[in-house]
Amino acid sequence: MQSPIARRFVVHGRVQGVGFRYRCVQAAETAGVTGWVRNRTDGSVEAHVEGPADAVEQVLAWVRVGPRHARVDSVEVGEVAPAGHRGFTVR
């Protein structure tokens, strides 16, 4: 079994008002990761995703595209410590 990893994603583009956070929850639940996603005041979306590396990468692949009406211009990815979240929530 893989040790869990955690990543912080900040997604820039047209990512608010297009269902990004709620579709991110679906992608996270499908991948089996935990964490959270939230809108930021600068118009970006931030997420904390933790779980097995391959599952975190699966969510990152989705984040780079986003839902149908989104336009992802860039994604910042940072390593963070796993926090032991349960479930995946919208903040």
Side-chain angles (χ1 to χ4, degrees):
M1 183 170 194
Q2 296 179 13
S3 296
I5 66 165
R7 297 291 182 267
R8 178 179 166 265
F9 305 146
V10 179
V11 188
H12 300 275
R14 189 179 67 203
V15 293
Q16 290 189 12
V18 293
F20 198 100
R21 291 174 300 156
Y22 297 97
R23 295 298 300 262
C24 188
V25 169
Q26 292 174 339
E29 290 174 345
T30 298
V33 299
T34 61
W36 51 263
V37 62
R38 67 179 171 198
N39 283 341
R40 292 171 28 135
T41 57
D42 66 0
S44 64
V45 169
E46 178 180 17
H48 174 98
V49 179
E50 59 185 66
D54 58 343
V56 171
E57 287 299 320
Q58 181 179 334
V59 175
L60 176 57
W62 180 86
V63 162
R64 290 187 190 281
V65 176
R68 183 171 55 155
H69 297 292
R71 185 193 74 246
V72 176
D73 293 336
S74 65
V75 180
E76 298 172 44
V77 181
E79 290 186 34
V80 293
H85 290 283
R86 292 182 176 232
F88 198 91
T89 59
V90 173
R91 288 190 168 176

CSV table of all heavy atoms in Angstrom, one decimal, residues 20-68:
chain,number,residue,atom,x,y,z
A,20,PHE,N,-16.8,24.4,-10.9
A,20,PHE,CA,-15.5,23.7,-10.7
A,20,PHE,C,-15.4,23.0,-9.4
A,20,PHE,O,-15.0,21.8,-9.3
A,20,PHE,CB,-14.4,24.8,-10.8
A,20,PHE,CG,-13.1,24.2,-11.1
A,20,PHE,CD1,-12.5,24.2,-12.3
A,20,PHE,CD2,-12.3,23.6,-10.1
A,20,PHE,CE1,-11.3,23.7,-12.6
A,20,PHE,CE2,-11.1,23.1,-10.3
A,20,PHE,CZ,-10.6,23.1,-11.6
A,21,ARG,N,-15.8,23.7,-8.3
A,21,ARG,CA,-15.6,23.0,-7.0
A,21,ARG,C,-16.5,21.8,-6.8
A,21,ARG,O,-16.0,20.8,-6.3
A,21,ARG,CB,-16.0,24.0,-5.9
A,21,ARG,CG,-15.0,25.2,-5.7
A,21,ARG,CD,-15.5,26.2,-4.7
A,21,ARG,NE,-16.8,26.7,-5.2
A,21,ARG,CZ,-17.7,27.3,-4.4
A,21,ARG,NH1,-17.5,27.4,-3.1
A,21,ARG,NH2,-18.8,27.7,-4.9
A,22,TYR,N,-17.7,21.8,-7.3
A,22,TYR,CA,-18.5,20.6,-7.1
A,22,TYR,C,-18.1,19.5,-8.0
A,22,TYR,O,-18.2,18.3,-7.6
A,22,TYR,CB,-20.0,21.0,-7.4
A,22,TYR,CG,-20.4,22.0,-6.3
A,22,TYR,CD1,-20.4,23.4,-6.5
A,22,TYR,CD2,-20.7,21.6,-5.0
A,22,TYR,CE1,-20.6,24.3,-5.5
A,22,TYR,CE2,-20.9,22.5,-4.0
A,22,TYR,CZ,-20.9,23.9,-4.3
A,22,TYR,OH,-21.2,24.8,-3.3
A,23,ARG,N,-17.6,19.8,-9.2
A,23,ARG,CA,-17.1,18.7,-10.1
A,23,ARG,C,-15.8,18.2,-9.6
A,23,ARG,O,-15.5,17.0,-9.7
A,23,ARG,CB,-17.0,19.2,-11.5
A,23,ARG,CG,-18.3,19.6,-12.2
A,23,ARG,CD,-19.2,18.4,-12.4
A,23,ARG,NE,-18.6,17.3,-13.1
A,23,ARG,CZ,-18.9,17.1,-14.4
A,23,ARG,NH1,-19.7,17.9,-15.1
A,23,ARG,NH2,-18.3,16.1,-15.0
A,24,CYS,N,-15.0,19.0,-8.9
A,24,CYS,CA,-13.8,18.6,-8.3
A,24,CYS,C,-14.1,17.6,-7.2
A,24,CYS,O,-13.3,16.6,-7.0
A,24,CYS,CB,-13.0,19.8,-7.7
A,24,CYS,SG,-11.4,19.4,-7.1
A,25,VAL,N,-15.1,17.8,-6.4
A,25,VAL,CA,-15.5,16.9,-5.4
A,25,VAL,C,-15.8,15.5,-6.0
A,25,VAL,O,-15.4,14.5,-5.5
A,25,VAL,CB,-16.8,17.4,-4.6
A,25,VAL,CG1,-17.3,16.3,-3.7
A,25,VAL,CG2,-16.4,18.6,-3.7
A,26,GLN,N,-16.5,15.5,-7.1
A,26,GLN,CA,-16.9,14.3,-7.8
A,26,GLN,C,-15.6,13.6,-8.3
A,26,GLN,O,-15.4,12.4,-8.1
A,26,GLN,CB,-17.8,14.5,-9.0
A,26,GLN,CG,-19.2,15.0,-8.6
A,26,GLN,CD,-20.0,15.3,-9.8
A,26,GLN,OE1,-19.5,15.6,-10.9
A,26,GLN,NE2,-21.3,15.3,-9.6
A,27,ALA,N,-14.6,14.3,-8.9
A,27,ALA,CA,-13.4,13.8,-9.3
A,27,ALA,C,-12.6,13.2,-8.1
A,27,ALA,O,-12.0,12.1,-8.3
A,27,ALA,CB,-12.6,14.8,-10.1
A,28,ALA,N,-12.6,13.9,-7.0
A,28,ALA,CA,-11.9,13.4,-5.8
A,28,ALA,C,-12.5,12.2,-5.3
A,28,ALA,O,-11.8,11.2,-4.9
A,28,ALA,CB,-11.8,14.5,-4.8
A,29,GLU,N,-13.8,12.1,-5.2
A,29,GLU,CA,-14.5,10.9,-4.7
A,29,GLU,C,-14.3,9.7,-5.6
A,29,GLU,O,-14.0,8.6,-5.1
A,29,GLU,CB,-16.0,11.2,-4.5
A,29,GLU,CG,-16.2,12.2,-3.3
A,29,GLU,CD,-17.7,12.6,-3.2
A,29,GLU,OE1,-18.5,12.4,-4.1
A,29,GLU,OE2,-18.0,13.1,-2.1
A,30,THR,N,-14.3,10.0,-6.9
A,30,THR,CA,-14.0,8.9,-7.9
A,30,THR,C,-12.6,8.4,-7.7
A,30,THR,O,-12.4,7.1,-7.7
A,30,THR,CB,-14.2,9.4,-9.3
A,30,THR,OG1,-15.6,9.8,-9.5
A,30,THR,CG2,-13.8,8.3,-10.3
A,31,ALA,N,-11.6,9.3,-7.4
A,31,ALA,CA,-10.2,8.8,-7.3
A,31,ALA,C,-10.0,8.3,-5.9
A,31,ALA,O,-8.9,7.6,-5.7
A,31,ALA,CB,-9.3,10.0,-7.5
A,32,GLY,N,-10.8,8.5,-4.9
A,32,GLY,CA,-10.6,8.0,-3.6
A,32,GLY,C,-9.7,8.8,-2.7
A,32,GLY,O,-9.0,8.3,-1.9
A,33,VAL,N,-9.6,10.1,-3.0
A,33,VAL,CA,-8.8,11.0,-2.2
A,33,VAL,C,-9.6,11.8,-1.2
A,33,VAL,O,-10.8,11.9,-1.3
A,33,VAL,CB,-7.9,11.9,-3.1
A,33,VAL,CG1,-7.0,11.2,-4.0
A,33,VAL,CG2,-8.8,12.9,-3.9
A,34,THR,N,-8.9,12.5,-0.3
A,34,THR,CA,-9.6,13.3,0.7
A,34,THR,C,-9.0,14.7,0.6
A,34,THR,O,-8.0,15.0,0.0
A,34,THR,CB,-9.4,12.8,2.1
A,34,THR,OG1,-8.0,12.8,2.5
A,34,THR,CG2,-10.0,11.4,2.3
A,35,GLY,N,-9.7,15.7,1.3
A,35,GLY,CA,-9.3,17.0,1.3
A,35,GLY,C,-10.4,18.0,1.1
A,35,GLY,O,-11.5,17.8,1.6
A,36,TRP,N,-10.1,19.1,0.5
A,36,TRP,CA,-11.1,20.2,0.3
A,36,TRP,C,-10.8,21.0,-0.9
A,36,TRP,O,-9.7,21.0,-1.5
A,36,TRP,CB,-11.2,21.1,1.6
A,36,TRP,CG,-9.8,21.6,2.0
A,36,TRP,CD1,-9.0,21.0,3.0
A,36,TRP,CD2,-9.1,22.7,1.5
A,36,TRP,NE1,-7.9,21.8,3.1
A,36,TRP,CE2,-7.9,22.8,2.3
A,36,TRP,CE3,-9.3,23.7,0.5
A,36,TRP,CZ2,-6.9,23.8,2.0
A,36,TRP,CZ3,-8.4,24.7,0.3
A,36,TRP,CH2,-7.2,24.7,1.0
A,37,VAL,N,-11.8,21.8,-1.3
A,37,VAL,CA,-11.6,22.8,-2.4
A,37,VAL,C,-12.4,24.0,-2.1
A,37,VAL,O,-13.4,24.0,-1.4
A,37,VAL,CB,-12.1,22.1,-3.8
A,37,VAL,CG1,-13.6,21.8,-3.7
A,37,VAL,CG2,-11.8,23.0,-4.9
A,38,ARG,N,-11.9,25.2,-2.5
A,38,ARG,CA,-12.5,26.5,-2.2
A,38,ARG,C,-12.2,27.5,-3.2
A,38,ARG,O,-11.2,27.4,-3.9
A,38,ARG,CB,-12.1,27.0,-0.8
A,38,ARG,CG,-10.7,27.4,-0.7
A,38,ARG,CD,-10.4,27.9,0.7
A,38,ARG,NE,-8.9,28.1,0.9
A,38,ARG,CZ,-8.3,28.1,2.0
A,38,ARG,NH1,-9.0,28.1,3.1
A,38,ARG,NH2,-7.0,28.3,2.1
A,39,ASN,N,-13.1,28.5,-3.3
A,39,ASN,CA,-12.8,29.7,-4.1
A,39,ASN,C,-11.9,30.6,-3.4
A,39,ASN,O,-12.0,30.7,-2.1
A,39,ASN,CB,-14.1,30.4,-4.5
A,39,ASN,CG,-14.9,29.8,-5.5
A,39,ASN,OD1,-14.4,28.9,-6.3
A,39,ASN,ND2,-16.2,30.1,-5.6
A,40,ARG,N,-11.1,31.3,-4.1
A,40,ARG,CA,-10.2,32.4,-3.5
A,40,ARG,C,-10.7,33.7,-4.0
A,40,ARG,O,-11.3,33.8,-5.0
A,40,ARG,CB,-8.8,32.1,-3.8
A,40,ARG,CG,-8.2,30.9,-3.2
A,40,ARG,CD,-6.9,30.4,-3.7
A,40,ARG,NE,-6.0,31.5,-4.1
A,40,ARG,CZ,-4.7,31.6,-3.8
A,40,ARG,NH1,-4.1,30.7,-3.0
A,40,ARG,NH2,-3.9,32.6,-4.3
A,41,THR,N,-10.4,34.7,-3.2
A,41,THR,CA,-10.9,36.1,-3.5
A,41,THR,C,-10.3,36.6,-4.8
A,41,THR,O,-10.8,37.5,-5.4
A,41,THR,CB,-10.6,37.1,-2.4
A,41,THR,OG1,-9.2,37.1,-2.1
A,41,THR,CG2,-11.3,36.7,-1.1
A,42,ASP,N,-9.1,36.1,-5.3
A,42,ASP,CA,-8.5,36.5,-6.5
A,42,ASP,C,-9.1,35.9,-7.8
A,42,ASP,O,-8.6,36.1,-8.9
A,42,ASP,CB,-7.0,36.3,-6.5
A,42,ASP,CG,-6.6,34.9,-6.4
A,42,ASP,OD1,-7.5,34.0,-6.5
A,42,ASP,OD2,-5.4,34.6,-6.4
A,43,GLY,N,-10.2,35.1,-7.6
A,43,GLY,CA,-10.8,34.4,-8.7
A,43,GLY,C,-10.3,33.0,-9.1
A,43,GLY,O,-10.8,32.4,-9.9
A,44,SER,N,-9.3,32.6,-8.3
A,44,SER,CA,-8.8,31.2,-8.5
A,44,SER,C,-9.5,30.3,-7.6
A,44,SER,O,-10.3,30.6,-6.8
A,44,SER,CB,-7.3,31.2,-8.3
A,44,SER,OG,-7.0,31.5,-6.9
A,45,VAL,N,-9.2,29.0,-7.8
A,45,VAL,CA,-9.7,27.9,-7.0
A,45,VAL,C,-8.5,27.2,-6.3
A,45,VAL,O,-7.6,26.9,-7.0
A,45,VAL,CB,-10.6,26.9,-7.8
A,45,VAL,CG1,-10.9,25.7,-6.9
A,45,VAL,CG2,-11.9,27.6,-8.2
A,46,GLU,N,-8.6,26.9,-5.0
A,46,GLU,CA,-7.6,26.3,-4.3
A,46,GLU,C,-8.1,24.9,-3.8
A,46,GLU,O,-9.2,24.8,-3.4
A,46,GLU,CB,-7.1,27.1,-3.1
A,46,GLU,CG,-6.1,26.5,-2.3
A,46,GLU,CD,-5.7,27.4,-1.1
A,46,GLU,OE1,-6.5,28.4,-0.8
A,46,GLU,OE2,-4.6,27.2,-0.5
A,47,ALA,N,-7.2,23.9,-3.8
A,47,ALA,CA,-7.6,22.6,-3.3
A,47,ALA,C,-6.5,22.0,-2.6
A,47,ALA,O,-5.3,22.2,-2.9
A,47,ALA,CB,-8.0,21.7,-4.5
A,48,HIS,N,-6.8,21.2,-1.6
A,48,HIS,CA,-5.9,20.4,-0.8
A,48,HIS,C,-6.3,18.9,-1.1
A,48,HIS,O,-7.5,18.6,-0.8
A,48,HIS,CB,-5.9,20.7,0.7
A,48,HIS,CG,-5.1,19.7,1.5
A,48,HIS,ND1,-3.8,20.1,1.9
A,48,HIS,CD2,-5.4,18.5,2.0
A,48,HIS,CE1,-3.3,19.0,2.6
A,48,HIS,NE2,-4.3,18.1,2.7
A,49,VAL,N,-5.5,18.1,-1.7
A,49,VAL,CA,-5.8,16.8,-2.1
A,49,VAL,C,-4.8,15.8,-1.5
A,49,VAL,O,-3.6,16.0,-1.6
A,49,VAL,CB,-5.8,16.6,-3.6
A,49,VAL,CG1,-6.2,15.2,-4.0
A,49,VAL,CG2,-6.8,17.6,-4.2
A,50,GLU,N,-5.3,14.8,-0.8
A,50,GLU,CA,-4.4,13.8,-0.2
A,50,GLU,C,-4.8,12.4,-0.4
A,50,GLU,O,-6.1,12.1,-0.4
A,50,GLU,CB,-4.1,14.1,1.2
A,50,GLU,CG,-5.2,14.1,2.2
A,50,GLU,CD,-4.8,14.5,3.6
A,50,GLU,OE1,-4.4,15.7,3.8
A,50,GLU,OE2,-4.9,13.7,4.5
A,51,GLY,N,-3.9,11.5,-0.5
A,51,GLY,CA,-4.2,10.1,-0.8
A,51,GLY,C,-3.0,9.4,-1.4
A,51,GLY,O,-1.9,10.0,-1.5
A,52,PRO,N,-3.2,8.2,-2.0
A,52,PRO,CA,-2.1,7.6,-2.7
A,52,PRO,C,-1.7,8.4,-3.9
A,52,PRO,O,-2.5,9.1,-4.5
A,52,PRO,CB,-2.7,6.3,-3.2
A,52,PRO,CG,-3.9,6.1,-2.3
A,52,PRO,CD,-4.4,7.4,-1.9
A,53,ALA,N,-0.4,8.4,-4.2
A,53,ALA,CA,0.2,9.3,-5.3
A,53,ALA,C,-0.6,9.2,-6.6
A,53,ALA,O,-0.9,10.2,-7.3
A,53,ALA,CB,1.7,9.0,-5.5
A,54,ASP,N,-0.9,7.9,-7.0
A,54,ASP,CA,-1.6,7.8,-8.3
A,54,ASP,C,-3.0,8.4,-8.3
A,54,ASP,O,-3.4,9.0,-9.3
A,54,ASP,CB,-1.6,6.3,-8.7
A,54,ASP,CG,-2.3,5.4,-7.7
A,54,ASP,OD1,-2.5,5.8,-6.6
A,54,ASP,OD2,-2.6,4.3,-8.1
A,55,ALA,N,-3.6,8.3,-7.2
A,55,ALA,CA,-5.0,8.9,-7.0
A,55,ALA,C,-4.9,10.5,-7.0
A,55,ALA,O,-5.7,11.2,-7.7
A,55,ALA,CB,-5.7,8.4,-5.8
A,56,VAL,N,-3.9,11.0,-6.4
A,56,VAL,CA,-3.7,12.5,-6.4
A,56,VAL,C,-3.4,12.9,-7.8
A,56,VAL,O,-3.9,14.0,-8.2
A,56,VAL,CB,-2.6,12.9,-5.4
A,56,VAL,CG1,-2.2,14.3,-5.5
A,56,VAL,CG2,-3.0,12.6,-3.9
A,57,GLU,N,-2.6,12.2,-8.5
A,57,GLU,CA,-2.2,12.5,-9.9
A,57,GLU,C,-3.5,12.5,-10.8
A,57,GLU,O,-3.6,13.2,-11.7
A,57,GLU,CB,-1.1,11.6,-10.4
A,57,GLU,CG,0.2,11.9,-9.8
A,57,GLU,CD,0.7,13.3,-10.1
A,57,GLU,OE1,0.5,13.8,-11.3
A,57,GLU,OE2,1.3,14.0,-9.2
A,58,GLN,N,-4.4,11.5,-10.5
A,58,GLN,CA,-5.6,11.4,-11.2
A,58,GLN,C,-6.5,12.7,-11.1
A,58,GLN,O,-7.0,13.2,-12.0
A,58,GLN,CB,-6.4,10.2,-10.8
A,58,GLN,CG,-7.7,10.0,-11.5
A,58,GLN,CD,-8.4,8.7,-11.0
A,58,GLN,OE1,-7.8,7.8,-10.4
A,58,GLN,NE2,-9.7,8.7,-11.1
A,59,VAL,N,-6.5,13.2,-9.8
A,59,VAL,CA,-7.3,14.5,-9.6
A,59,VAL,C,-6.5,15.6,-10.3
A,59,VAL,O,-7.2,16.5,-10.9
A,59,VAL,CB,-7.5,14.7,-8.1
A,59,VAL,CG1,-8.1,16.0,-7.9
A,59,VAL,CG2,-8.3,13.6,-7.5
A,60,LEU,N,-5.2,15.7,-10.2
A,60,LEU,CA,-4.5,16.7,-10.9
A,60,LEU,C,-4.8,16.7,-12.4
A,60,LEU,O,-4.9,17.8,-13.0
A,60,LEU,CB,-3.0,16.6,-10.6
A,60,LEU,CG,-2.1,17.6,-11.3
A,60,LEU,CD1,-2.5,19.0,-11.0
A,60,LEU,CD2,-0.6,17.3,-11.0
A,61,ALA,N,-4.8,15.6,-13.0
A,61,ALA,CA,-5.1,15.5,-14.4
A,61,ALA,C,-6.5,16.1,-14.7
A,61,ALA,O,-6.7,16.8,-15.7
A,61,ALA,CB,-5.0,14.1,-14.9
A,62,TRP,N,-7.5,15.8,-13.8
A,62,TRP,CA,-8.8,16.4,-14.0
A,62,TRP,C,-8.7,17.9,-13.8
A,62,TRP,O,-9.3,18.7,-14.6
A,62,TRP,CB,-9.8,15.8,-13.1
A,62,TRP,CG,-11.2,16.4,-13.3
A,62,TRP,CD1,-12.1,16.0,-14.2
A,62,TRP,CD2,-11.7,17.6,-12.6
A,62,TRP,NE1,-13.2,16.9,-14.1
A,62,TRP,CE2,-12.9,17.9,-13.2
A,62,TRP,CE3,-11.2,18.4,-11.6
A,62,TRP,CZ2,-13.7,19.0,-12.8
A,62,TRP,CZ3,-11.9,19.5,-11.2
A,62,TRP,CH2,-13.2,19.8,-11.8
A,63,VAL,N,-8.0,18.4,-12.8
A,63,VAL,CA,-7.9,19.8,-12.5
A,63,VAL,C,-7.4,20.6,-13.6
A,63,VAL,O,-7.8,21.7,-13.9
A,63,VAL,CB,-7.1,20.0,-11.2
A,63,VAL,CG1,-6.6,21.5,-11.0
A,63,VAL,CG2,-7.9,19.6,-9.9
A,64,ARG,N,-6.4,20.0,-14.3
A,64,ARG,CA,-5.8,20.7,-15.5
A,64,ARG,C,-6.8,21.0,-16.6
A,64,ARG,O,-6.5,21.8,-17.5
A,64,ARG,CB,-4.6,19.9,-16.0
A,64,ARG,CG,-3.4,19.9,-15.0
A,64,ARG,CD,-2.2,19.2,-15.6
A,64,ARG,NE,-1.1,19.0,-14.6
A,64,ARG,CZ,-0.3,19.9,-14.2
A,64,ARG,NH1,-0.4,21.2,-14.6
A,64,ARG,NH2,0.6,19.6,-13.3
A,65,VAL,N,-7.9,20.3,-16.6
A,65,VAL,CA,-8.9,20.4,-17.7
A,65,VAL,C,-10.1,21.1,-17.1
A,65,VAL,O,-10.7,22.0,-17.7
A,65,VAL,CB,-9.3,19.1,-18.3
A,65,VAL,CG1,-10.4,19.2,-19.3
A,65,VAL,CG2,-8.1,18.4,-18.9
A,66,GLY,N,-10.6,20.6,-15.9
A,66,GLY,CA,-11.8,21.2,-15.3
A,66,GLY,C,-13.1,20.8,-16.0
A,66,GLY,O,-13.1,20.0,-16.9
A,67,PRO,N,-14.2,21.3,-15.5
A,67,PRO,CA,-15.5,21.0,-16.1
A,67,PRO,C,-15.7,21.7,-17.5
A,67,PRO,O,-14.9,22.6,-17.8
A,67,PRO,CB,-16.5,21.5,-15.1
A,67,PRO,CG,-15.8,22.6,-14.3
A,67,PRO,CD,-14.3,22.2,-14.3
A,68,ARG,N,-16.7,21.4,-18.1
A,68,ARG,CA,-16.9,21.8,-19.5
A,68,ARG,C,-16.9,23.4,-19.7
A,68,ARG,O,-16.3,23.8,-20.7
A,68,ARG,CB,-18.3,21.3,-20.0
A,68,ARG,CG,-18.6,21.6,-21.4
A,68,ARG,CD,-19.8,20.9,-21.9
A,68,ARG,NE,-21.0,21.2,-21.0
A,68,ARG,CZ,-22.2,21.2,-21.4
A,68,ARG,NH1,-22.5,20.8,-22.6
A,68,ARG,NH2,-23.2,21.5,-20.5
